[in-house]
Amino acid sequence: MVLIDTSAWVEWLIGSATGEKVEVHLPEQSDWLVPTMVQLELAKWLTREVGEDKADQVIAFTQVCHVVALTTEIALAAADTCREHRLATADAIIFATARAHDAKLVTCDGHFQGLPGVTLIEKVRG
């Protein structure tokens, strides 16, 4: 299982040079792990940046993947992660979800640097 963080989704969806680097790490659709937190962030960003129709299409794609709701177990693990690694709440939920499902986390967000199970894709500048 692979959890693609919102930052990596965005780079991939806009077709950036960083997104091309992300694409190498995308699994078969049956191996995508999608937290509801990522669905929320994607829906918010897509609606604002490219419109509701595109947001609906991407969310429809995520619904065919393994969608993971925020459970008490993940919430408590995320609280620990906030304390231990000083991550923001949404990032901690995403990280805790990946850990709870023994999934690799692919991200372009430097806040995750050095955490176990994380593949950080450096943003291409220029």
Side-chain angles (χ1 to χ4, degrees):
M1 291 291 215
V2 179
L3 192 161
I4 308 299
D5 179 47
T6 309
S7 62
W9 269 95
V10 168
E11 295 294 335
W12 177 58
L13 288 169
I14 65 172
S16 70
T18 303
E20 290 175 14
K21 291 170 64 177
V22 168
E23 192 165 8
V24 173
H25 298 275
L26 299 181
E28 296 293 322
Q29 191 171 10
S30 61
D31 289 331
W32 287 58
L33 187 72
V34 182
T36 51
M37 178 59 70
V38 168
Q39 287 180 314
L40 179 153
E41 291 179 330
L42 282 172
K44 190 171 133 182
W45 183 85
L46 286 162
T47 301
R48 182 182 68 239
E49 298 297 324
V50 294
E52 202 167 311
D53 287 342
K54 182 64 172 179
D56 290 345
Q57 291 171 7
V58 172
I59 297 304
F61 174 89
T62 67
Q63 289 176 312
V64 189
C65 302
H66 295 279
V67 176
V68 180
L70 177 60
T71 63
T72 300
E73 176 187 343
I74 292 171
L76 295 175
D80 289 341
T81 299
C82 284
R83 272 192 317 277
E84 292 172 23
H85 301 290
R86 300 189 187 273
L87 289 178
T89 300
D91 289 344
I93 290 169
I94 290 165
F95 179 74
T97 302
R99 300 294 290 169
H101 292 271
D102 198 28
K104 177 173 76 168
L105 172 60
V106 176
T107 184
C108 300
D109 184 343
H111 293 110
F112 291 101
Q113 186 167 10
L115 295 179
V118 172
T119 298
L120 178 62
I121 308 295
E122 297 282 334
K123 288 194 177 185
V124 177
R125 302 287 176 208

